[in-house]
Amino acid sequence: VSSGTPRRRVGILFGGPSAEHDVSCVSAMALLRALPAERYEATAIGITADARFVLPAVDLDAPVVDTGSAMDDHLVAAGRAVALVPGHDPSTAAVVGLDGTGEVLAELDVVFPLLHGPFGEDGVVQGLLEAVGVPYVGSGVHGSAVGMDKVSMKRAFAAEGLPIPPYRSIREADWLAKPDVDALTEGLAYPLFVKPANMGSSIGISRVTTADGIAEAMALAFVHDDRVLVEQGVDHAREIECGVLGGPEPMSSPPGEVRVAGDWFDYQLKYFSPGDPMIVPAQLPEAIDARLRELAVQAFQAVGADGLARVDFLYDDEAEQVYVNEINTMPGFTAHSMFPKVWAADGIPYHELAGRLLDLAFERHARRRRLVDPA
Ligand SMILES: Nc1ncnc2c1ncn2[C@@H]1O[C@H](COP(=O)(O)OP(=O)(O)O)[C@@H](O)[C@H]1O
Ligand SMILES: [Mg+2]
Protein backbone atom coordinates (compact mmCIF):
# COMPACT_ATOMS: atom_id res chain seq x y z
CA VAL A 1 0.00 0.00 0.00
CA SER A 2 1.53 3.32 -1.04
CA SER A 3 1.28 6.29 1.25
CA GLY A 4 -1.05 7.91 -1.30
CA THR A 5 -3.73 5.21 -0.91
CA PRO A 6 -6.66 6.62 1.02
CA ARG A 7 -7.55 4.78 4.16
CA ARG A 8 -10.65 2.64 3.93
CA ARG A 9 -13.37 3.75 6.26
CA VAL A 10 -14.65 0.68 8.11
CA GLY A 11 -17.78 0.55 10.26
CA ILE A 12 -17.82 -2.24 12.83
CA LEU A 13 -21.30 -3.19 14.00
CA PHE A 14 -21.21 -4.95 17.34
CA GLY A 15 -23.37 -5.99 20.29
CA GLY A 16 -26.92 -6.62 19.18
CA PRO A 17 -30.05 -8.00 20.81
CA SER A 18 -29.06 -11.70 20.78
CA ALA A 19 -27.71 -13.90 23.58
CA GLU A 20 -24.25 -13.54 22.02
CA HIS A 21 -24.12 -9.76 22.64
CA ASP A 22 -21.13 -10.04 24.97
CA VAL A 23 -19.09 -12.25 22.63
CA SER A 24 -19.65 -9.68 19.91
CA CYS A 25 -18.41 -6.85 22.18
CA VAL A 26 -15.18 -8.78 22.80
CA SER A 27 -14.76 -9.58 19.09
CA ALA A 28 -15.23 -5.92 18.15
CA MET A 29 -12.50 -4.76 20.51
CA ALA A 30 -10.10 -7.39 19.17
CA LEU A 31 -10.86 -6.35 15.60
CA LEU A 32 -10.44 -2.63 16.35
CA ARG A 33 -7.07 -3.27 17.95
CA ALA A 34 -5.95 -5.44 15.03
CA LEU A 35 -6.87 -3.21 12.05
CA PRO A 36 -3.72 -1.37 10.94
CA ALA A 37 -4.38 2.37 11.37
CA GLU A 38 -2.37 3.26 8.26
CA ARG A 39 -4.81 1.32 6.07
CA TYR A 40 -8.12 1.55 7.92
CA GLU A 41 -10.07 4.24 9.69
CA ALA A 42 -12.46 2.33 11.92
CA THR A 43 -15.71 3.47 13.51
CA ALA A 44 -17.34 1.16 16.04
CA ILE A 45 -21.13 1.30 16.00
CA GLY A 46 -22.81 -0.39 18.93
CA ILE A 47 -26.22 -2.02 18.81
CA THR A 48 -27.89 -2.10 22.20
CA ALA A 49 -29.80 -5.06 23.58
CA ASP A 50 -33.01 -3.31 22.46
CA ALA A 51 -31.58 -2.81 18.95
CA ARG A 52 -30.78 0.91 18.99
CA PHE A 53 -27.66 2.09 17.12
CA VAL A 54 -25.18 4.11 19.19
CA LEU A 55 -21.65 5.51 18.95
CA PRO A 56 -19.67 4.25 21.95
CA ALA A 57 -16.59 5.72 23.57
CA VAL A 58 -13.59 3.75 22.33
CA ASP A 59 -10.21 3.89 24.03
CA LEU A 60 -7.67 1.90 22.05
CA ASP A 61 -4.84 3.22 24.21
CA ALA A 62 -6.28 1.59 27.30
CA PRO A 63 -4.16 -1.39 28.36
CA VAL A 64 -5.34 -4.73 27.01
CA VAL A 65 -6.93 -6.77 29.75
CA ASP A 66 -6.50 -10.35 28.69
CA THR A 67 -6.81 -13.01 31.33
CA GLY A 68 -7.31 -15.67 28.69
CA SER A 69 -11.01 -16.01 29.39
CA ALA A 70 -11.64 -13.74 26.39
CA MET A 71 -14.34 -11.74 28.12
CA ASP A 72 -12.39 -8.85 29.61
CA ASP A 73 -11.25 -6.51 26.84
CA HIS A 74 -14.48 -5.38 25.23
CA LEU A 75 -16.51 -2.47 23.92
CA VAL A 76 -19.75 -1.34 25.51
CA ALA A 77 -22.73 -0.73 23.24
CA ALA A 78 -23.81 2.59 24.75
CA GLY A 79 -23.46 6.19 23.61
CA ARG A 80 -24.87 8.80 21.25
CA ALA A 81 -27.91 7.59 19.25
CA VAL A 82 -27.22 7.30 15.51
CA ALA A 83 -28.73 5.91 12.32
CA LEU A 84 -27.02 4.14 9.43
CA VAL A 85 -28.19 5.54 6.10
CA PRO A 86 -26.98 5.68 2.47
CA GLY A 87 -23.99 8.03 2.16
CA HIS A 88 -23.52 10.94 -0.19
CA ASP A 89 -21.23 8.98 -2.54
CA PRO A 90 -22.37 5.74 -4.22
CA SER A 91 -21.68 2.53 -2.26
CA THR A 92 -21.00 4.36 0.99
CA ALA A 93 -22.94 4.62 4.23
CA ALA A 94 -23.30 7.58 6.57
CA VAL A 95 -23.61 7.49 10.35
CA VAL A 96 -26.02 10.28 11.26
CA GLY A 97 -26.67 11.69 14.74
CA LEU A 98 -30.24 11.35 15.94
CA ASP A 99 -30.08 14.22 18.41
CA GLY A 100 -31.81 16.70 16.11
CA THR A 101 -28.75 18.07 14.34
CA GLY A 102 -28.75 15.40 11.64
CA GLU A 103 -24.98 15.75 11.61
CA VAL A 104 -22.99 13.19 9.61
CA LEU A 105 -20.63 11.75 12.23
CA ALA A 106 -18.83 9.26 9.99
CA GLU A 107 -18.80 8.01 6.42
CA LEU A 108 -18.12 4.35 5.66
CA ASP A 109 -16.75 2.49 2.63
CA VAL A 110 -17.45 -0.95 4.12
CA VAL A 111 -19.26 -2.41 7.12
CA PHE A 112 -18.21 -5.42 9.23
CA PRO A 113 -21.40 -6.74 10.88
CA LEU A 114 -19.61 -8.49 13.74
CA LEU A 115 -22.89 -9.72 15.21
CA HIS A 116 -23.95 -13.22 16.16
CA GLY A 117 -27.31 -14.95 16.33
CA PRO A 118 -30.78 -13.70 15.41
CA PHE A 119 -30.88 -10.10 14.06
CA GLY A 120 -27.19 -9.82 13.23
CA GLU A 121 -26.39 -13.16 11.60
CA ASP A 122 -29.74 -14.16 10.10
CA GLY A 123 -30.16 -11.66 7.26
CA VAL A 124 -31.92 -8.85 9.16
CA VAL A 125 -28.89 -6.56 9.42
CA GLN A 126 -27.65 -7.82 6.04
CA GLY A 127 -30.94 -6.56 4.56
CA LEU A 128 -30.33 -3.14 6.11
CA LEU A 129 -26.83 -3.05 4.61
CA GLU A 130 -28.16 -4.07 1.18
CA ALA A 131 -30.73 -1.30 1.37
CA VAL A 132 -28.07 1.22 2.41
CA GLY A 133 -25.99 -0.03 -0.52
CA VAL A 134 -22.63 -0.31 1.24
CA PRO A 135 -20.23 -3.29 0.86
CA TYR A 136 -20.24 -5.52 3.94
CA VAL A 137 -18.33 -8.50 5.27
CA GLY A 138 -19.81 -11.98 5.07
CA SER A 139 -22.90 -13.63 3.70
CA GLY A 140 -25.82 -11.84 2.10
CA VAL A 141 -29.45 -11.91 3.16
CA HIS A 142 -30.20 -15.35 1.77
CA GLY A 143 -27.05 -17.17 2.93
CA SER A 144 -27.36 -15.64 6.39
CA ALA A 145 -31.03 -16.59 6.71
CA VAL A 146 -30.58 -20.17 5.52
CA GLY A 147 -27.48 -20.62 7.69
CA MET A 148 -29.22 -19.38 10.82
CA ASP A 149 -32.43 -21.36 10.49
CA LYS A 150 -31.65 -24.96 11.45
CA VAL A 151 -34.61 -26.39 9.49
CA SER A 152 -33.70 -24.58 6.25
CA MET A 153 -30.02 -25.32 6.84
CA LYS A 154 -30.54 -29.09 7.28
CA ARG A 155 -32.76 -29.17 4.19
CA ALA A 156 -30.05 -27.42 2.17
CA PHE A 157 -27.42 -29.86 3.46
CA ALA A 158 -29.64 -32.86 2.72
CA ALA A 159 -30.44 -31.59 -0.78
CA GLU A 160 -26.71 -31.43 -1.54
CA GLY A 161 -26.15 -34.94 -0.19
CA LEU A 162 -24.10 -33.86 2.83
CA PRO A 163 -23.96 -36.37 5.72
CA ILE A 164 -26.21 -35.18 8.57
CA PRO A 165 -27.80 -37.05 11.50
CA PRO A 166 -31.39 -38.21 10.88
CA TYR A 167 -33.87 -35.58 12.05
CA ARG A 168 -37.47 -34.45 11.91
CA SER A 169 -38.92 -30.96 12.12
CA ILE A 170 -42.32 -29.91 13.41
CA ARG A 171 -44.32 -26.69 13.70
CA GLU A 172 -45.67 -25.65 17.10
CA ALA A 173 -49.30 -25.63 15.90
CA ASP A 174 -48.96 -29.23 14.63
CA TRP A 175 -47.30 -30.41 17.85
CA LEU A 176 -49.96 -28.76 20.05
CA ALA A 177 -52.74 -30.25 17.93
CA LYS A 178 -51.25 -33.74 18.21
CA PRO A 179 -48.39 -34.10 20.73
CA ASP A 180 -47.61 -37.69 19.73
CA VAL A 181 -44.12 -38.57 20.95
CA ASP A 182 -44.01 -41.94 19.14
CA ALA A 183 -44.97 -40.44 15.79
CA LEU A 184 -42.48 -37.61 16.23
CA THR A 185 -39.54 -39.82 17.13
CA GLU A 186 -40.31 -42.83 14.92
CA GLY A 187 -37.15 -44.23 13.39
CA LEU A 188 -34.86 -42.00 15.51
CA ALA A 189 -32.61 -43.56 18.15
CA TYR A 190 -32.04 -41.94 21.58
CA PRO A 191 -30.40 -39.80 22.78
CA LEU A 192 -32.18 -37.13 20.78
CA PHE A 193 -31.40 -33.44 20.57
CA VAL A 194 -34.41 -31.14 20.54
CA LYS A 195 -33.56 -27.72 19.08
CA PRO A 196 -35.47 -24.55 18.25
CA ALA A 197 -34.97 -23.76 14.54
CA ASN A 198 -33.69 -20.23 14.97
CA MET A 199 -31.42 -19.67 17.95
CA GLY A 200 -27.75 -20.41 18.72
CA SER A 201 -25.50 -20.67 21.76
CA SER A 202 -27.21 -23.96 22.66
CA ILE A 203 -30.12 -21.93 24.07
CA GLY A 204 -33.41 -23.86 24.12
CA ILE A 205 -31.65 -27.12 23.22
CA SER A 206 -32.15 -30.31 25.26
CA ARG A 207 -30.48 -33.67 25.15
CA VAL A 208 -33.22 -36.24 25.75
CA THR A 209 -32.45 -39.85 26.66
CA THR A 210 -35.96 -41.35 26.94
CA ALA A 211 -39.45 -40.72 25.51
CA ASP A 212 -40.52 -39.31 28.91
CA GLY A 213 -38.29 -36.29 28.37
CA ILE A 214 -39.63 -35.23 24.98
CA ALA A 215 -42.67 -33.16 26.04
CA GLU A 216 -40.64 -30.95 28.36
CA ALA A 217 -37.88 -30.50 25.78
CA MET A 218 -40.45 -29.52 23.14
CA ALA A 219 -42.03 -26.95 25.47
CA LEU A 220 -38.61 -25.42 26.16
CA ALA A 221 -37.67 -25.28 22.47
CA PHE A 222 -41.02 -23.66 21.54
CA VAL A 223 -40.23 -20.79 23.93
CA HIS A 224 -37.62 -19.70 21.35
CA ASP A 225 -39.20 -20.51 17.98
CA ASP A 226 -42.37 -21.92 16.49
CA ARG A 227 -40.47 -24.61 14.59
CA VAL A 228 -38.42 -27.28 16.29
CA LEU A 229 -35.97 -29.91 15.15
CA VAL A 230 -35.64 -33.36 16.73
CA GLU A 231 -32.30 -34.87 15.79
CA GLN A 232 -30.65 -38.18 16.45
CA GLY A 233 -27.60 -37.90 18.67
CA VAL A 234 -24.23 -38.89 17.25
CA ASP A 235 -22.44 -41.43 19.43
CA HIS A 236 -18.88 -40.86 20.65
CA ALA A 237 -19.14 -37.43 19.06
CA ARG A 238 -16.03 -35.30 18.85
CA GLU A 239 -16.76 -31.69 17.92
CA ILE A 240 -14.62 -30.57 15.01
CA GLU A 241 -14.82 -27.14 13.37
CA CYS A 242 -13.45 -25.84 10.06
CA GLY A 243 -13.11 -22.27 8.86
CA VAL A 244 -14.15 -21.34 5.33
CA LEU A 245 -12.92 -18.19 3.64
CA GLY A 246 -13.56 -16.72 0.20
CA GLY A 247 -16.11 -15.96 -2.47
CA PRO A 248 -17.00 -18.13 -5.46
CA GLU A 249 -13.94 -20.38 -4.88
CA PRO A 250 -13.74 -20.63 -1.09
CA MET A 251 -11.02 -22.46 0.81
CA SER A 252 -11.20 -24.29 4.11
CA SER A 253 -8.86 -24.19 7.07
CA PRO A 254 -7.34 -27.07 8.99
CA PRO A 255 -9.94 -28.47 11.40
CA GLY A 256 -9.87 -27.56 15.09
CA GLU A 257 -11.41 -29.54 17.93
CA VAL A 258 -13.49 -28.36 20.85
CA ARG A 259 -13.08 -30.74 23.77
CA VAL A 260 -16.37 -30.90 25.60
CA ALA A 261 -16.23 -31.84 29.25
CA GLY A 262 -19.89 -32.85 29.73
CA ASP A 263 -22.33 -34.85 27.59
CA TRP A 264 -22.65 -31.98 25.15
CA PHE A 265 -21.69 -28.37 24.58
CA ASP A 266 -24.43 -26.54 26.47
CA TYR A 267 -24.66 -22.79 27.11
CA GLN A 268 -22.93 -23.05 30.48
CA LEU A 269 -19.92 -24.85 29.04
CA LYS A 270 -19.72 -22.61 25.98
CA TYR A 271 -19.35 -19.34 27.82
CA PHE A 272 -18.68 -19.94 31.48
CA SER A 273 -16.32 -22.87 31.72
CA PRO A 274 -12.72 -21.95 32.46
CA GLY A 275 -9.71 -22.92 30.43
CA ASP A 276 -9.14 -23.40 26.77
CA PRO A 277 -10.91 -26.45 25.40
CA MET A 278 -9.62 -25.96 21.83
CA ILE A 279 -7.11 -28.16 20.06
CA VAL A 280 -5.80 -26.60 16.84
CA PRO A 281 -5.16 -28.30 14.53
CA ALA A 282 -7.33 -31.25 15.50
CA GLN A 283 -5.58 -34.62 15.69
CA LEU A 284 -7.41 -36.72 13.09
CA PRO A 285 -6.66 -39.46 10.57
CA GLU A 286 -5.45 -37.84 7.34
CA ALA A 287 -8.41 -39.05 5.29
CA ILE A 288 -10.90 -37.64 7.82
CA ASP A 289 -9.07 -34.32 7.87
CA ALA A 290 -9.29 -34.05 4.08
CA ARG A 291 -12.93 -35.14 4.06
CA LEU A 292 -13.87 -32.46 6.63
CA ARG A 293 -12.18 -29.72 4.65
CA GLU A 294 -14.04 -30.78 1.51
CA LEU A 295 -17.38 -31.00 3.33
CA ALA A 296 -16.84 -27.56 4.90
CA VAL A 297 -16.69 -25.96 1.46
CA GLN A 298 -19.73 -27.96 0.31
CA ALA A 299 -21.73 -26.88 3.36
CA PHE A 300 -20.74 -23.25 2.72
CA GLN A 301 -21.97 -23.49 -0.85
CA ALA A 302 -25.12 -25.45 0.08
CA VAL A 303 -26.51 -22.52 2.09
CA GLY A 304 -25.16 -19.86 -0.28
CA ALA A 305 -22.70 -18.42 2.25
CA ASP A 306 -20.13 -15.79 1.30
CA GLY A 307 -16.93 -14.35 2.74
CA LEU A 308 -16.53 -16.46 5.85
CA ALA A 309 -18.14 -19.20 7.89
CA ARG A 310 -17.32 -21.80 10.47
CA VAL A 311 -18.68 -25.25 9.73
CA ASP A 312 -19.18 -27.48 12.78
CA PHE A 313 -19.00 -31.25 12.55
CA LEU A 314 -19.80 -34.18 14.80
CA TYR A 315 -17.28 -36.95 14.32
CA ASP A 316 -18.08 -40.45 15.54
CA ASP A 317 -14.62 -41.48 16.51
CA GLU A 318 -15.40 -45.24 16.70
CA ALA A 319 -17.31 -45.62 13.44
CA GLU A 320 -15.03 -43.01 11.81
CA GLN A 321 -18.20 -41.38 10.53
CA VAL A 322 -18.45 -37.65 9.89
CA TYR A 323 -21.65 -35.55 10.17
CA VAL A 324 -22.16 -31.89 9.36
CA ASN A 325 -23.89 -30.29 12.36
CA GLU A 326 -24.22 -26.65 11.46
CA ILE A 327 -22.80 -23.58 9.77
CA ASN A 328 -22.19 -20.24 11.47
CA THR A 329 -21.99 -17.40 8.97
CA MET A 330 -20.53 -14.93 11.49
CA PRO A 331 -18.41 -17.04 13.84
CA GLY A 332 -16.89 -15.67 17.04
CA PHE A 333 -13.95 -13.40 16.21
CA THR A 334 -12.27 -12.78 19.54
CA ALA A 335 -8.53 -13.40 19.81
CA HIS A 336 -9.46 -16.70 21.51
CA SER A 337 -12.11 -17.83 19.03
CA MET A 338 -11.87 -20.96 16.90
CA PHE A 339 -12.22 -19.16 13.55
CA PRO A 340 -9.09 -16.97 13.87
CA LYS A 341 -7.23 -19.86 15.50
CA VAL A 342 -7.74 -22.32 12.66
CA TRP A 343 -6.60 -19.71 10.13
CA ALA A 344 -3.58 -18.83 12.24
CA ALA A 345 -2.71 -22.54 12.08
CA ASP A 346 -2.81 -22.17 8.30
CA GLY A 347 -0.42 -19.19 8.40
CA ILE A 348 -2.95 -16.32 8.32
CA PRO A 349 -2.64 -14.17 11.45
CA TYR A 350 -5.64 -12.32 12.91
CA HIS A 351 -4.95 -8.88 11.42
CA GLU A 352 -4.34 -10.33 7.97
CA LEU A 353 -7.56 -12.35 8.20
CA ALA A 354 -9.47 -9.17 9.00
CA GLY A 355 -7.95 -7.44 5.94
CA ARG A 356 -8.89 -10.37 3.70
CA LEU A 357 -12.48 -10.31 4.93
CA LEU A 358 -12.73 -6.62 4.08
CA ASP A 359 -11.23 -7.25 0.62
CA LEU A 360 -13.78 -10.02 0.08
CA ALA A 361 -16.57 -7.59 1.00
CA PHE A 362 -15.51 -5.23 -1.80
CA GLU A 363 -15.17 -8.15 -4.24
CA ARG A 364 -18.65 -9.40 -3.44
CA HIS A 365 -20.11 -5.93 -3.79
CA ALA A 366 -18.48 -5.53 -7.22
CA ARG A 367 -19.77 -8.95 -8.35
CA ARG A 368 -23.29 -8.13 -7.28
CA ARG A 369 -23.25 -4.72 -8.93
CA ARG A 370 -22.29 -6.39 -12.20
CA LEU A 371 -25.34 -8.64 -11.84
CA VAL A 372 -27.68 -5.72 -11.23
CA ASP A 373 -26.12 -3.51 -13.89
CA PRO A 374 -24.34 -5.57 -16.58
CA ALA A 375 -23.08 -2.42 -18.29
N1 LIG B 1 -26.92 -34.74 16.79
C1 LIG B 1 -26.12 -34.46 17.82
N2 LIG B 1 -25.34 -35.42 18.38
C2 LIG B 1 -24.52 -35.14 19.43
N3 LIG B 1 -24.41 -33.92 19.99
C3 LIG B 1 -25.14 -32.90 19.47
C4 LIG B 1 -26.03 -33.11 18.36
N4 LIG B 1 -26.63 -31.94 18.07
C5 LIG B 1 -26.14 -31.04 18.95
N5 LIG B 1 -25.26 -31.60 19.81
C6 LIG B 1 -24.58 -30.92 20.92
O1 LIG B 1 -25.28 -29.71 21.23
C7 LIG B 1 -24.47 -28.58 20.98
C8 LIG B 1 -25.32 -27.45 20.42
O2 LIG B 1 -26.01 -27.84 19.24
P1 LIG B 1 -25.95 -26.99 17.90
O3 LIG B 1 -26.80 -27.69 16.89
O4 LIG B 1 -24.53 -26.77 17.53
O5 LIG B 1 -26.66 -25.63 18.31
P2 LIG B 1 -26.14 -24.12 18.46
O6 LIG B 1 -26.53 -23.43 17.19
O7 LIG B 1 -26.90 -23.59 19.63
O8 LIG B 1 -24.66 -24.14 18.65
C9 LIG B 1 -23.39 -29.07 20.04
O9 LIG B 1 -22.22 -28.29 20.13
C10 LIG B 1 -23.18 -30.49 20.56
O10 LIG B 1 -22.43 -30.48 21.77
MG1 LIG C 1 -23.21 -25.11 17.62
Side-chain angles (χ1 to χ4, degrees):
V1 180
S2 80
S3 56
T5 308
R7 295 198 301 167
R8 280 170 164 175
R9 299 165 299 178
V10 182
I12 300 169
L13 294 180
F14 74 95
S18 84
E20 288 153 291
H21 179 101
D22 294 350
V23 181
S24 171
C25 294
V26 178
S27 296
M29 194 64 176
L31 178 62
L32 268 181
R33 288 195 188 281
L35 284 179
E38 66 279 7
R39 289 189 58 195
Y40 301 103
E41 180 185 332
T43 303
I45 302 157
I47 302 180
T48 61
D50 57 352
R52 287 174 302 104
F53 286 44
V54 294
L55 276 189
V58 178
D59 183 6
L60 289 180
D61 296 326
V64 182
V65 188
D66 187 349
T67 58
S69 71
M71 284 297 182
D72 299 300
D73 194 35
H74 63 94
L75 292 181
V76 177
R80 185 170 174 183
V82 295
L84 192 67
V85 298
H88 182 268
D89 296 325
S91 302
T92 65
V95 179
V96 175
L98 286 179
D99 44 14
T101 61
E103 191 187 345
V104 174
L105 301 170
E107 285 181 300
L108 309 173
D109 301 310
V110 59
V111 172
F112 199 138
L114 198 43
L115 301 160
H116 314 297
F119 185 85
E121 192 179 352
D122 64 355
V124 171
V125 160
Q126 287 72 19
L128 168 70
L129 297 170
E130 289 287 343
V132 165
V134 66
Y136 58 94
V137 170
S139 294
V141 172
H142 173 257
S144 300
V146 175
M148 189 74 217
D149 184 277
K150 290 191 198 309
V151 174
S152 303
M153 174 184 73
K154 301 269 170 184
R155 283 183 185 148
F157 290 163
E160 295 299 326
L162 298 176
I164 56 173
Y167 76 98
R168 204 139 307 141
S169 67
I170 186 164
R171 299 179 327 128
E172 185 175 24
D174 294 334
W175 173 250
L176 292 178
K178 192 167 173 285
D180 184 337
V181 174
D182 290 340
L184 177 69
T185 60
E186 200 202 328
L188 301 178
Y190 287 86
L192 299 178
F193 284 81
V194 176
K195 312 178 180 181
N198 210 320
M199 263 315 274
S201 310
S202 301
I203 292 168
I205 298 183
S206 306
R207 179 179 183 272
V208 182
T209 51
T210 64
D212 298 340
I214 291 289
E216 192 186 334
M218 296 297 280
L220 174 66
F222 283 130
V223 168
H224 301 283
D225 201 350
D226 56 10
R227 283 166 313 132
V228 158
L229 206 90
V230 181
E231 183 179 290
Q232 184 167 308
V234 172
D235 290 330
H236 321 287
R238 285 169 64 184
E239 307 210 21
I240 314 287
E241 308 185 344
C242 263
V244 182
L245 183 64
E249 304 287 346
M251 59 183 194
S252 51
S253 74
E257 176 163 9
V258 184
R259 277 283 162 85
V260 179
D263 274 334
W264 61 291
F265 207 23
D266 64 10
Y267 183 74
Q268 199 62 29
L269 272 179
K270 259 184 198 175
Y271 295 116
F272 302 103
S273 97
D276 182 357
M278 290 178 206
I279 300 154
V280 180
Q283 301 303 304
L284 295 163
E286 214 170 288
I288 297 294
D289 191 283
R291 173 90 176 121
L292 291 169
R293 294 183 72 155
E294 179 185 69
L295 286 171
V297 169
Q298 289 173 13
F300 185 88
Q301 292 173 335
V303 302
D306 215 317
L308 77 162
R310 196 191 72 223
V311 178
D312 297 352
F313 298 92
L314 296 162
Y315 173 51
D316 179 339
D317 192 55
E318 281 183 21
E320 297 209 346
Q321 188 67 46
V322 165
Y323 300 91
V324 183
N325 179 36
E326 64 166 340
I327 186 165
N328 295 280
T329 52
M330 190 53 73
F333 207 68
T334 77
H336 301 277
S337 299
M338 182 62 94
F339 186 80
K341 278 194 178 180
V342 286
W343 287 112
D346 210 30
I348 306 178
Y350 187 101
H351 65 276
E352 198 181 313
L353 186 60
R356 286 213 197 178
L357 291 171
L358 293 167
D359 290 342
L360 285 166
F362 287 107
E363 286 169 24
R364 174 172 182 275
H365 189 73
R367 274 200 315 277
R368 288 178 56 86
R369 281 183 63 99
R370 274 200 303 278
L371 292 177
V372 178
D373 178 12

